[in-house]
Every structure is written in C-alpha cells, then in structure tokens.
Amino acid sequence: MAIPYRFISKVLMVLLVGASLTMIYLAIDASCDCSVIDEMSRKIRFLKSQVLDLEQKISDAKFAQKKDEVKERVKDSAEQGENKEGNGDEGEDNLSWGPHKLAIIVPYRERFEELMEFLPYMHKYLNMQSIRHQFIIVNQIDSHRFNRASLINIGFLHSKEDCDYIVLHDVDLLPKNTKISYTFPMVEEGPHHVSAPDLHPKYHYKTFVGGILMMKSDTFQKLNGLSNLFWGWGREDDELYLRMQELNLKISRPEGITTGYDTFYHIHDREKRKRDMTRYGNQHKESFKRDRLTGLDTVEYELRSSQKLSVDGATATILHVELDCNKDLTPWCDPPAPVKVMKQKQGAKKP
C-alpha cells in the first residue's frame, strides 16, 4: 500500500500553521512564561523539518514514477520494433531510410540520469520512424553559468557537415505520443515546433518555441543561430522567436494530436535540478531585446575533448567545451562576488 505522503504533508501543514498562530498569541501575552514560547518554537521547527522531508519524498516518488514509465516505453518500443521492418535496434545511419539525416543537439550540464534515459528512448523512437540520426551532446564544463544557446550553436557547427536538418532538444523532454513526427517533411516549409504550447507540459504562451524545435540546417544558418548573451536559465528561445519572425519564417506545429499536456514526458526533477533564474545587473532588461551582435558566427569556446558514448544501442558524440565570456558585453555570465563585511573587533571604538 502506497504511503499517502501528500495527505500527511497537508496535515502537518495545518498543525504547523496552528502552532505558529499559538506562538504569536503567547508572544504578545505579557503573562506568558518564555519557556513555553521556546518549547513551542522547537515544535514548529520540528514540524517544518517533517513537512520538508515529506515534500522531498513526494518529489522523489513522482520522479521515480516518470522514470519507470520511460523505461517501460523504451521496452515496449523495442518489442514493437522487432516486428517492424526498418525499426528496432538498427543503426542510427541506415542509408535505406532516405537521404536526410537529423542531428539531435542537446545542451547539457550535470544531467547524467536524464541523459541515460534520453539516449536509448530517443534512439528507439527515431528508429521506429525510420529516421537517420546523430546525437550531439554539448557538455559545458567551465565554471560560468549555463548558456543553452551557445551550446546549441556549438552543436550545430559540429553537425552541419553530416546532417541536413536539426532538432534543438532538451534532455528532460521525451515524446510520449507516437504520432509526434521528427521526419524531414515537417521542416520543408519552415521550422517545426515539436513541443508546441498546447502540448508542452509546462509552457503554454503562444510565442513559445522552446523545448524541442526542429528546422533545416540552412534555416539555422540564415538565422545566425541563437544569441550568446543568455547566461542562466530562460529567454534565449524567445529571442530566437524574434529572429524567426524577422525572416518571416512559417513556424508549424503538430496537428491532430489529442493528448494535450500529456503528450510528453517531462523528467526534470526541480528539487535536485534547480534552475538558475537569477538576473544580475541589467540582465533582465537586456533579455527582452533582439540581439544583433552575437550568434552562430561569434560563439567563442574551446573544445577540450570529445568522446563516444553508447547506451543500450544508442551512440552519442559528447563534446566537452569551455565557453568564453565577454565581461564587457555580458557581465552576468558569473554571479557577482559576495560583498565582504568587515566585522568590528569587540571593544573597539567607532571612529
């Protein structure tokens, strides 16, 4: 029998609120013994710790359930593939599947568990659609804040010679509905936003183009890729939308999908993988502007090493890169240094 963590958590929250109100009442009661307040404060701290512990268990249980669903789906797709010509565990580059080849570009940092789920799952999924493909995992190993856009630009530079279309793919987002197509015809007339606002489990505004976005390689070249100014989490895809609008590109989205927000697995654990959403200096203001200074042709990095990774039949190229930061252009690529507060020595007189 499953432990009703959510119910217990709610009960503890009610007790926590009640205890807090009681302590406030006692604090303003002049006749109250301070020892009573101290004991109540101790109980509140204990209740808080219990609530936090249960919330973590809830989060872990949800994440484990999603992982089990993904593993089961990979198993099912493999079994289906055994009975279908051109599907299953065949190589990523089966020439009989046609002239087009897809580069799956994944911006990456410290997401090993998700990557272990992503690679075999997407390999099976793309094989079932008879899509020649290549995984490019761009791993940021420097100490700067995460820069998703620059990593995508780098991934494109290392795949453009072999692949004629690309998909910019978050590592924690997997298609659940098998009607979601990654085939070349989807991008012939313009970019195809796979994780459309009416399908993505989290983001639903009409100009959203993040998550999973597919386009021809020459289209990405015409856009000059993505802006390199976005350090930390978010908004680089909104700037990309401005670039696509400026070129009057037609953005298509999946049609005939009836599964709504349940179309994708979102295997992001927000407790363990907290997003860096802090904005420093004038970063917030600048993030709403169309960047005309940086892009695919200005990305600065050093490729420290590359290696092949094979997971359950899926092979990926991992590029370990260090990004360069122009401090004059983007001083927010690193958090500001903490301000040191000089403590006054005890007994010293103020000037």
Side-chain angles (χ1 to χ4, degrees):
M1 180 178 178
I3 299 175
Y5 291 126
R6 178 63 68 183
F7 173 75
I8 297 173
S9 177
K10 288 182 178 179
V11 171
L12 286 174
M13 282 297 294
V14 171
L15 293 173
L16 180 59
V17 171
S20 298
L21 291 174
T22 302
M23 192 177 80
I24 293 172
Y25 171 78
L26 292 173
I28 61 176
D29 184 355
S31 63
C32 175
D33 185 353
C34 290
S35 62
V36 177
I37 297 178
D38 290 342
E39 178 63 19
M40 186 63 69
S41 177
R42 186 190 66 78
K43 290 181 178 179
I44 288 175
R45 288 195 299 270
F46 175 75
L47 284 172
K48 282 184 178 180
S49 68
Q50 292 294 301
V51 170
L52 291 174
D53 182 60
L54 282 169
E55 290 293 344
Q56 184 60 53
K57 288 181 178 178
I58 292 168
S59 176
D60 291 344
K62 286 183 176 180
F63 188 63
Q65 182 180 6
K66 287 181 181 179
K67 288 181 67 177
D68 290 342
E69 289 178 358
V70 170
K71 288 179 180 178
E72 190 64 30
R73 190 57 175 273
V74 171
K75 179 181 176 182
D76 290 345
S77 65
E79 291 174 352
Q80 293 173 22
E82 292 174 356
N83 300 318
K84 293 185 179 181
E85 184 179 356
N87 293 335
D89 285 327
E90 298 187 25
E92 294 94 339
D93 199 16
N94 188 327
L95 298 179
S96 69
W97 290 348
H100 303 294
K101 187 174 181 180
L102 174 67
I104 304 95
I105 300 173
V106 181
Y108 177 86
R109 177 188 260 177
E110 298 176 352
R111 304 289 291 275
F112 185 75
E113 289 183 4
E114 288 91 335
L115 184 62
M116 292 301 99
E117 302 288 349
F118 177 87
L119 287 174
Y121 184 92
M122 288 305 303
H123 176 65
K124 300 286 186 183
Y125 192 95
L126 295 172
N127 280 355
M128 288 181 66
Q129 295 187 4
S130 299
I131 296 173
R132 295 172 59 199
H133 58 278
Q134 176 183 3
F135 291 102
I136 304 291
I137 314 301
V138 192
N139 179 30
Q140 183 177 340
I141 62 173
D142 55 69
S143 60
H144 298 310
R145 302 171 71 196
F146 189 64
N147 191 320
R148 177 178 181 268
S150 290
L151 299 180
I152 289 172
N153 286 338
I154 294 168
F156 175 79
L157 292 174
H158 287 264
S159 66
K160 64 179 182 177
E161 300 301 326
D162 297 324
C163 302
D164 57 345
Y165 73 121
I166 64 173
V167 60
L168 322 180
H169 214 302
D170 286 351
V171 73
D172 59 7
L173 201 60
L174 302 172
K176 193 175 183 179
N177 187 326
T178 55
K179 293 182 179 179
I180 294 295
S181 175
Y182 286 75
T183 58
F184 183 80
M186 307 308 298
V187 300
E188 284 187 305
E189 296 184 5
H192 181 66
H193 187 209
V194 180
S195 55
D198 60 335
L199 304 177
H200 194 282
K202 189 174 178 63
Y203 302 107
H204 314 306
Y205 57 97
K206 65 180 182 180
T207 59
F208 172 66
V209 292
I212 308 172
L213 179 66
M214 194 162 62
M215 68 182 75
K216 291 189 291 185
S217 295
D218 60 359
T219 301
F220 192 79
Q221 193 88 49
K222 290 175 183 177
L223 289 166
N224 194 23
L226 283 83
S227 166
N228 298 308
L229 302 182
F230 292 83
W231 301 87
W233 183 85
R235 293 211 56 82
E236 74 288 330
D237 49 334
D238 294 324
E239 199 277 342
L240 177 59
Y241 176 81
L242 297 179
R243 295 184 180 217
M244 292 190 289
Q245 289 293 100
E246 199 170 84
L247 291 182
N248 294 315
L249 296 178
K250 177 185 176 183
I251 304 171
S252 64
R253 288 179 166 126
E255 297 181 355
I257 304 298
T258 60
T259 44
Y261 300 151
D262 196 36
T263 301
F264 297 92
Y265 293 110
H266 194 209
I267 56 175
H268 177 77
D269 187 336
R270 62 181 182 181
E271 293 299 323
K272 294 181 180 179
R273 314 289 190 196
K274 294 185 183 297
R275 292 187 169 117
D276 177 11
M277 302 181 67
T278 306
R279 300 292 183 260
Y280 300 106
N282 64 340
Q283 182 181 7
H284 178 76
K285 179 181 178 181
E286 293 296 320
S287 67
F288 286 87
K289 297 179 180 179
R290 164 71 165 91
D291 172 24
R292 301 186 183 282
L293 297 176
T294 75
L296 182 62
D297 59 353
T298 65
V299 61
E300 296 287 341
Y301 69 100
E302 180 179 355
L303 177 62
R304 298 304 300 269
S305 65
S306 65
Q307 62 185 146
K308 296 290 185 181
L309 173 68
S310 181
V311 184
D312 294 339
T315 302
T317 298
I318 303 182
L319 307 175
H320 302 287
V321 302
E322 290 185 350
L323 302 180
D324 290 338
C325 169
N326 183 335
K327 292 281 189 175
D328 293 328
L329 195 58
T330 57
W332 49 79
C333 63
D334 296 314
V339 178
K340 292 184 179 180
V341 180
M342 298 297 292
K343 292 184 178 180
Q344 186 177 2
K345 292 183 179 181
Q346 190 173 5
K349 294 182 179 180
K350 293 182 179 180

Coordinates of all heavy atoms in Angstrom, one line a residue, residues 150-203:
S150 N 24.5 29.1 -26.6 CA 25.9 28.9 -27.1 C 26.2 27.4 -27.3 O 26.8 27.0 -28.3 CB 26.9 29.5 -26.1 OG 26.8 30.9 -26.1
L151 N 25.7 26.6 -26.4 CA 25.9 25.1 -26.6 C 25.2 24.6 -27.8 O 25.8 23.7 -28.6 CB 25.4 24.4 -25.4 CG 26.1 24.7 -24.0 CD1 25.5 23.9 -22.9 CD2 27.6 24.5 -24.1
I152 N 24.0 25.1 -28.1 CA 23.3 24.7 -29.3 C 24.1 25.1 -30.6 O 24.3 24.4 -31.6 CB 21.9 25.2 -29.3 CG1 21.1 24.5 -28.3 CG2 21.3 25.1 -30.7 CD1 19.7 25.1 -28.1
N153 N 24.6 26.4 -30.6 CA 25.4 26.9 -31.7 C 26.6 26.0 -31.9 O 26.9 25.7 -33.1 CB 25.9 28.3 -31.4 CG 24.8 29.3 -31.5 OD1 23.8 29.1 -32.2 ND2 24.9 30.5 -30.9
I154 N 27.3 25.6 -30.9 CA 28.5 24.7 -31.0 C 28.1 23.4 -31.6 O 28.7 22.8 -32.5 CB 29.1 24.6 -29.6 CG1 29.7 25.9 -29.2 CG2 30.2 23.5 -29.7 CD1 30.2 25.9 -27.7
G155 N 26.9 22.8 -31.1 CA 26.5 21.5 -31.6 C 26.2 21.6 -33.1 O 26.5 20.6 -33.8
F156 N 25.6 22.7 -33.5 CA 25.3 22.8 -35.0 C 26.6 22.9 -35.8 O 26.7 22.2 -36.8 CB 24.6 24.1 -35.2 CG 24.3 24.4 -36.7 CD1 23.3 23.7 -37.4 CD2 25.1 25.3 -37.4 CE1 23.2 24.0 -38.7 CE2 24.9 25.6 -38.7 CZ 24.0 24.9 -39.4
L157 N 27.6 23.6 -35.3 CA 28.9 23.7 -36.0 C 29.6 22.3 -36.2 O 30.3 22.1 -37.2 CB 29.9 24.7 -35.3 CG 29.4 26.1 -35.3 CD1 30.4 26.9 -34.4 CD2 29.4 26.7 -36.7
H158 N 29.3 21.4 -35.2 CA 29.9 20.1 -35.3 C 29.0 19.1 -36.0 O 29.4 17.9 -36.1 CB 30.3 19.6 -33.9 CG 31.5 20.4 -33.3 ND1 32.8 19.8 -33.4 CD2 31.6 21.6 -32.7 CE1 33.6 20.7 -32.8 NE2 32.9 21.7 -32.4
S159 N 27.9 19.5 -36.5 CA 27.0 18.5 -37.1 C 26.6 18.9 -38.5 O 26.0 18.1 -39.3 CB 25.7 18.3 -36.3 OG 24.9 19.5 -36.2
K160 N 26.8 20.2 -38.9 CA 26.3 20.7 -40.2 C 26.8 20.0 -41.4 O 26.1 20.0 -42.5 CB 26.5 22.2 -40.3 CG 28.0 22.6 -40.3 CD 28.2 24.1 -40.5 CE 29.6 24.5 -40.6 NZ 29.8 26.0 -40.8
E161 N 28.0 19.4 -41.3 CA 28.6 18.7 -42.5 C 27.9 17.3 -42.7 O 27.9 16.8 -43.8 CB 30.1 18.5 -42.3 CG 30.8 19.8 -42.1 CD 30.7 20.7 -43.3 OE1 30.6 20.2 -44.5 OE2 30.7 21.9 -43.1
D162 N 27.3 16.7 -41.7 CA 26.8 15.4 -41.8 C 25.2 15.4 -41.8 O 24.7 14.4 -42.3 CB 27.2 14.5 -40.6 CG 28.7 14.3 -40.6 OD1 29.3 14.2 -41.6 OD2 29.3 14.3 -39.5
C163 N 24.6 16.4 -41.3 CA 23.1 16.4 -41.2 C 22.5 17.6 -41.9 O 23.0 18.7 -41.8 CB 22.8 16.4 -39.7 SG 23.4 15.0 -38.8
D164 N 21.4 17.4 -42.6 CA 20.8 18.5 -43.3 C 19.6 19.1 -42.6 O 19.0 20.0 -43.0 CB 20.3 18.0 -44.7 CG 19.4 16.8 -44.7 OD1 19.3 16.2 -43.7 OD2 18.7 16.6 -45.7
Y165 N 19.2 18.5 -41.4 CA 18.3 19.1 -40.5 C 18.6 18.8 -39.1 O 19.3 17.8 -38.8 CB 16.8 18.8 -40.9 CG 16.2 17.5 -40.7 CD1 15.1 17.3 -39.9 CD2 16.7 16.3 -41.3 CE1 14.5 16.1 -39.6 CE2 16.1 15.1 -41.1 CZ 15.0 15.0 -40.2 OH 14.4 13.8 -40.0
I166 N 18.1 19.7 -38.2 CA 18.5 19.5 -36.8 C 17.3 19.7 -35.9 O 16.2 20.2 -36.3 CB 19.5 20.7 -36.4 CG1 18.8 22.0 -36.5 CG2 20.8 20.6 -37.2 CD1 19.7 23.2 -36.0
V167 N 17.4 19.2 -34.7 CA 16.4 19.4 -33.6 C 17.1 19.9 -32.4 O 18.1 19.2 -31.9 CB 15.5 18.2 -33.4 CG1 16.3 17.0 -32.9 CG2 14.4 18.5 -32.4
L168 N 16.7 21.0 -31.9 CA 17.2 21.5 -30.6 C 16.4 20.9 -29.5 O 15.2 21.2 -29.4 CB 17.1 23.1 -30.6 CG 17.4 23.8 -31.9 CD1 17.3 25.3 -31.7 CD2 18.8 23.4 -32.4
H169 N 17.0 20.1 -28.7 CA 16.2 19.1 -27.8 C 16.7 19.2 -26.4 O 17.8 19.0 -26.1 CB 16.4 17.7 -28.3 CG 15.2 16.8 -28.2 ND1 14.6 16.6 -27.0 CD2 14.5 16.1 -29.1 CE1 13.6 15.8 -27.2 NE2 13.5 15.5 -28.4
D170 N 15.7 19.6 -25.5 CA 16.0 19.5 -24.1 C 16.1 18.0 -23.7 O 15.4 17.2 -24.2 CB 14.9 20.1 -23.2 CG 14.9 21.7 -23.3 OD1 15.9 22.2 -23.8 OD2 14.0 22.3 -22.8
V171 N 17.1 17.7 -22.7 CA 17.3 16.4 -22.4 C 16.2 15.8 -21.5 O 16.1 14.5 -21.4 CB 18.7 16.3 -21.6 CG1 18.6 16.9 -20.2 CG2 19.2 14.9 -21.6
D172 N 15.4 16.6 -20.9 CA 14.4 16.1 -20.0 C 13.0 16.1 -20.6 O 12.0 15.9 -19.9 CB 14.3 17.0 -18.7 CG 14.1 18.5 -19.0 OD1 13.7 18.8 -20.2 OD2 14.1 19.3 -18.0
L173 N 12.9 16.2 -21.9 CA 11.6 16.2 -22.6 C 11.6 15.1 -23.6 O 12.4 15.1 -24.6 CB 11.4 17.5 -23.2 CG 9.9 17.9 -23.5 CD1 9.1 18.0 -22.3 CD2 9.9 19.3 -24.2
L174 N 10.6 14.1 -23.5 CA 10.6 13.0 -24.4 C 9.1 12.8 -24.9 O 8.2 13.0 -24.2 CB 10.9 11.7 -23.6 CG 12.3 11.7 -22.9 CD1 12.4 10.4 -22.1 CD2 13.4 11.7 -24.0
P175 N 9.0 12.6 -26.2 CA 7.7 12.4 -26.8 C 7.0 11.1 -26.3 O 7.6 10.0 -26.4 CB 8.0 12.3 -28.3 CG 9.4 11.8 -28.4 CD 10.1 12.4 -27.2
K176 N 5.8 11.3 -25.8 CA 5.0 10.2 -25.2 C 4.1 9.7 -26.3 O 3.8 8.5 -26.3 CB 4.3 10.7 -24.0 CG 3.7 9.7 -23.1 CD 3.1 10.4 -21.9 CE 2.5 9.4 -20.9 NZ 2.0 10.2 -19.7
N177 N 3.6 10.6 -27.1 CA 2.6 10.2 -28.2 C 3.4 9.9 -29.4 O 4.1 10.7 -30.0 CB 1.7 11.4 -28.4 CG 0.5 11.1 -29.4 OD1 0.7 10.3 -30.3 ND2 -0.6 11.7 -29.2
T178 N 3.2 8.6 -30.0 CA 4.0 8.2 -31.1 C 3.6 8.9 -32.4 O 4.3 8.7 -33.4 CB 3.8 6.7 -31.3 OG1 2.4 6.4 -31.4 CG2 4.4 5.9 -30.1
K179 N 2.6 9.7 -32.4 CA 2.2 10.5 -33.6 C 3.0 11.7 -33.7 O 3.0 12.4 -34.8 CB 0.7 10.9 -33.5 CG -0.2 9.7 -33.6 CD -1.7 10.1 -33.6 CE -2.6 9.0 -33.7 NZ -4.1 9.4 -33.7
I180 N 3.9 12.1 -32.7 CA 4.8 13.2 -32.9 C 5.9 12.8 -33.9 O 6.6 11.8 -33.6 CB 5.4 13.6 -31.5 CG1 4.3 14.1 -30.6 CG2 6.5 14.6 -31.7 CD1 3.7 15.4 -31.0
S181 N 6.0 13.6 -34.9 CA 6.9 13.2 -36.0 C 8.2 14.1 -36.0 O 8.1 15.3 -35.8 CB 6.2 13.4 -37.4 OG 7.1 13.2 -38.4
Y182 N 9.3 13.4 -36.3 CA 10.6 14.0 -36.4 C 11.1 13.9 -37.9 O 12.3 14.1 -38.1 CB 11.6 13.4 -35.5 CG 11.5 13.8 -34.0 CD1 10.5 13.2 -33.2 CD2 12.4 14.6 -33.4 CE1 10.4 13.5 -31.9 CE2 12.3 15.0 -32.0 CZ 11.2 14.4 -31.3 OH 11.1 14.7 -30.0
T183 N 10.2 13.6 -38.8 CA 10.6 13.4 -40.2 C 10.9 14.7 -40.9 O 10.4 15.7 -40.5 CB 9.6 12.6 -40.9 OG1 8.3 13.3 -40.9 CG2 9.4 11.2 -40.3
F184 N 11.7 14.6 -42.0 CA 12.2 15.8 -42.7 C 11.0 16.6 -43.3 O 11.1 17.8 -43.3 CB 13.1 15.4 -43.8 CG 13.7 16.5 -44.6 CD1 14.8 17.3 -44.1 CD2 13.2 16.9 -45.8 CE1 15.3 18.3 -44.8 CE2 13.7 17.9 -46.5 CZ 14.8 18.7 -46.0
P185 N 10.0 16.0 -43.8 CA 8.9 16.8 -44.4 C 8.3 17.8 -43.4 O 7.7 18.9 -43.9 CB 7.8 15.8 -44.8 CG 8.6 14.5 -45.1 CD 9.7 14.6 -44.1
M186 N 8.4 17.6 -42.1 CA 7.9 18.6 -41.2 C 8.6 19.9 -41.2 O 8.0 20.9 -40.8 CB 8.0 18.0 -39.7 CG 7.4 16.6 -39.5 SD 5.7 16.4 -40.1 CE 4.9 17.6 -39.1
V187 N 9.8 20.0 -41.8 CA 10.6 21.2 -41.8 C 10.8 21.8 -43.2 O 11.6 22.8 -43.3 CB 12.0 21.0 -41.1 CG1 11.8 20.6 -39.6 CG2 12.9 20.0 -41.8
E188 N 10.2 21.2 -44.2 CA 10.5 21.6 -45.5 C 10.0 23.1 -45.8 O 10.6 23.8 -46.6 CB 9.8 20.7 -46.5 CG 10.5 19.4 -46.7 CD 10.0 18.5 -47.8 OE1 8.8 18.2 -47.7 OE2 10.7 18.1 -48.7
E189 N 8.9 23.5 -45.1 CA 8.4 24.8 -45.3 C 8.8 25.8 -44.2 O 8.5 27.0 -44.3 CB 6.9 24.8 -45.5 CG 6.4 24.0 -46.7 CD 4.9 24.0 -46.8 OE1 4.3 24.8 -46.0 OE2 4.4 23.4 -47.7
G190 N 9.6 25.4 -43.3 CA 10.0 26.2 -42.2 C 10.2 25.5 -40.9 O 10.0 24.3 -40.8
P191 N 10.6 26.2 -39.8 CA 10.8 25.5 -38.5 C 9.6 24.8 -38.0 O 8.4 25.3 -38.2 CB 11.2 26.6 -37.6 CG 11.7 27.7 -38.5 CD 10.9 27.6 -39.8
H192 N 9.8 23.7 -37.4 CA 8.6 22.9 -36.8 C 8.8 22.8 -35.3 O 9.8 22.2 -34.8 CB 8.6 21.5 -37.4 CG 7.5 20.7 -36.9 ND1 6.1 20.9 -37.2 CD2 7.4 19.5 -36.1 CE1 5.4 20.0 -36.6 NE2 6.1 19.2 -36.0
H193 N 7.9 23.4 -34.5 CA 8.0 23.4 -33.1 C 7.3 22.2 -32.6 O 6.1 22.1 -32.5 CB 7.4 24.7 -32.5 CG 7.6 24.8 -31.0 ND1 6.7 25.4 -30.2 CD2 8.6 24.3 -30.2 CE1 7.2 25.4 -28.9 NE2 8.3 24.7 -28.9
V194 N 8.1 21.2 -32.2 CA 7.5 19.9 -31.8 C 6.8 20.0 -30.5 O 5.6 19.5 -30.4 CB 8.7 18.8 -31.7 CG1 8.2 17.5 -31.3 CG2 9.5 18.7 -33.0
S195 N 7.4 20.6 -29.5 CA 6.7 20.8 -28.2 C 5.9 22.1 -28.1 O 6.2 23.0 -27.4 CB 7.8 20.8 -27.1 OG 8.8 21.8 -27.3
A196 N 4.9 22.1 -28.9 CA 4.0 23.3 -29.1 C 3.4 23.7 -27.8 O 3.3 22.9 -26.8 CB 2.9 23.0 -30.1
P197 N 3.0 25.0 -27.7 CA 2.4 25.5 -26.4 C 1.2 24.7 -25.9 O 0.9 24.6 -24.7 CB 2.0 26.9 -26.8 CG 2.9 27.3 -27.9 CD 3.1 26.0 -28.7
D198 N 0.4 24.1 -26.9 CA -0.8 23.4 -26.4 C -0.4 21.9 -26.1 O -1.3 21.1 -25.7 CB -1.9 23.4 -27.5 CG -1.4 22.8 -28.8 OD1 -0.2 22.8 -29.1 OD2 -2.3 22.4 -29.6
L199 N 0.9 21.6 -26.2 CA 1.3 20.2 -25.9 C 2.3 20.1 -24.8 O 2.4 19.1 -24.1 CB 1.9 19.5 -27.2 CG 1.0 19.5 -28.4 CD1 1.7 18.9 -29.6 CD2 -0.3 18.7 -28.1
H200 N 3.1 21.2 -24.7 CA 4.2 21.2 -23.6 C 3.6 21.1 -22.2 O 2.6 21.8 -22.0 CB 5.1 22.4 -23.8 CG 6.4 22.4 -23.0 ND1 6.4 22.6 -21.6 CD2 7.6 22.1 -23.4 CE1 7.7 22.4 -21.2 NE2 8.4 22.2 -22.3
P201 N 4.2 20.3 -21.4 CA 3.6 20.1 -20.0 C 3.7 21.3 -19.1 O 3.0 21.4 -18.1 CB 4.4 19.0 -19.4 CG 5.6 18.9 -20.2 CD 5.3 19.4 -21.6
K202 N 4.5 22.3 -19.5 CA 4.7 23.5 -18.6 C 4.5 24.8 -19.2 O 3.9 25.7 -18.6 CB 6.1 23.4 -18.0 CG 6.4 24.4 -16.9 CD 7.8 24.1 -16.3 CE 8.2 25.1 -15.2 NZ 7.3 25.1 -14.1
Y203 N 4.9 25.1 -20.5 CA 4.8 26.4 -21.0 C 3.8 26.5 -22.2 O 3.8 25.7 -23.1 CB 6.2 26.8 -21.6 CG 7.3 26.7 -20.5 CD1 8.2 25.7 -20.4 CD2 7.3 27.7 -19.5 CE1 9.1 25.7 -19.4 CE2 8.2 27.6 -18.4 CZ 9.1 26.6 -18.4 OH 10.0 26.6 -17.4

